[in-house]
Amino acid sequence: MVRIRAAIDHLVPYDGGPGFEEFSRRFGARGIAMLAGNEYPTPPFPEVVDAIASAAGGINRYPDAGTVRLREALAGMLGTTPDCVWTGAGSSENLTTAARALGGPGTSFVYPWPSFAMYPINAVYADAESIRVPLDEALRVDLEALAGAIRDDTTLVIICNPNNPTGSYLSRAEIHEFADRVPESTLVLVDEAYGEFVAAEEHSSLIPLAVERPNLVVARTFSKIYGLAGLRVGYMVGQAPTLRSLRKAQSPFVVGSLAEVAATTSLRFPERVRERFELNRRGVDYLEGALADRGVRYVPTQANFIWLRLGPGTPGIVQELLEMGTLIRKGTEEWTRVSIGTDSENRRFIEDLDLVLRRRRS
Ligand SMILES: Cc1ncc(COP(=O)(O)O)c(C=O)c1O
C-alpha cells in the first residue's frame, strides 16, 4: 500500500458536480438549467472565440511563462504596472499557490464559514491549521470575529467578497478598516471572484489598496463575468515583492496560451462586461422577487447567485430538481444556492421549484 499523507487521505475533495455535456445528454428535449456553478450562462464574446481559434495552431509551443501580454493588458485596465499582477489557472489555483507559500507546520489560516469550499482544502494541502469564523446573524462575513480569531501563527486571512455561497457583501471601507488591524506579518487575501457583479457601490474593489500594501492581495478570475470558466485563468493583484514570493510556490506554465489569448482579448470589451452586469442584476431582481412572492427567505445578493432557505428537506428538494434537469448547488440541510442563469433558466428554476414544492405538499 502506498503511503499517502494522512491529511490528504482523509480529505473530502472539492465537488465540481456533473459536467455540462454529461448532464445535457441525460435530459434530451427538455434541456437543462445549469445553475450550480456560478458560471456566466452565455458563451464568451465572439471575438474571444475567434482569437482562440486563430491561436490554436501554435499550441505545440509552451505558453509564455510570464503571461506578459495578459499582465500588461490587466495592468493597463487597473492603472498599475505588470509586476503588480500575477496570473494562474483560475482563482482556485492562485489561492492554492498562496496557501502553499504561506502554510507549513505551526501556521494557521483564518477564513469565514460558510464560504468557498477551497479554503479548508487549501489549508490541508498547505499543512496549516484551519480557523473557521462563522458568519454573523445576517450571514455576512463577521470582520470583528475574523480580527479576533487571528493568532500569532496566522499567516493568512481570507475575505470572500461578495461571499460565496451567501452573496453578502462588505463595503470597501469596512475591509480597509479591517486590513488596518491585521498584523503586517499576516497576508490578507481578498477573494473578489464575483467583484464585477457588485451593484452596492461603484468602486468596490480592494485592488487600489493591494498595490499600496505588502500584506494585502486581491484575487480575481475570468471564470465568472467573462465566461471563461472552461479555460482556467485568473489573477492576483498586490505589491510586486509579495507576488514574487507567492508565485515561487506555483507550478510553471499553469496558464495555457489559449487561456492567455482569450483573457487578453476579453479585456477589450468593457462595455459588454457592463451589459453582462446589468443582465445579471435583471436576473437577480426577477429571482429575488419570485422568492419573496413565495415567502422563501434569501440573502439579498451582490453576486451572480442567491443563497435561499428551503427549510428541512432541502437536500431532497435539490435532488428532485436535479432529476428534472435543473441543477442547483447542494447546500446545507436547510439552505441551498442557485446561480443566476439566462432569463429562461431563471423562469424554469422557479417553475420547477413550484412543482417540487406542490408535489411535496400534496
Ligand atoms: C469565491 C470563489 N473564489 C474562487 C473561485 C474559483 O474560481 P476559478 O478557479 O474558476 O477562477 C470560485 C469559484 O466558484 C469562488 O466561488
Side-chain angles (χ1 to χ4, degrees), residues 107-113 123 128-134 145-146 148-151 153-154 156-157:
T107 63
S108 65
F109 296 169
V110 169
Y111 52 86
W113 199 254
E129 185 185 335
S130 261
I131 303 177
R132 296 181 186 197
V133 177
L146 220 54
I150 295 172
R151 305 189 311 216
D153 67 359
T154 302
L156 172 66
V157 51

Side-chain angles (χ1 to χ4, degrees), residues 332-351:
T332 65
E333 285 305 306
E334 299 203 8
W335 291 78
T336 186
R337 191 193 74 192
V338 63
S339 303
I340 311 300
T342 58
D343 288 349
S344 66
E345 283 176 311
N346 298 336
R347 275 196 306 275
R348 168 166 165 170
F349 165 66
I350 292 295
E351 283 161 18

Side-chain angles (χ1 to χ4, degrees), residues 14 37 90-92 95 116 119 160 164 191 193-194 221 223-224 232:
Y14 183 80
S91 260
S92 310
L95 293 167
F116 183 41
Y119 303 156
C160 187
N164 175 13
D191 182 350
Y194 303 99
T221 178
S223 294
K224 307 297 175 184
R232 315 305 307 126

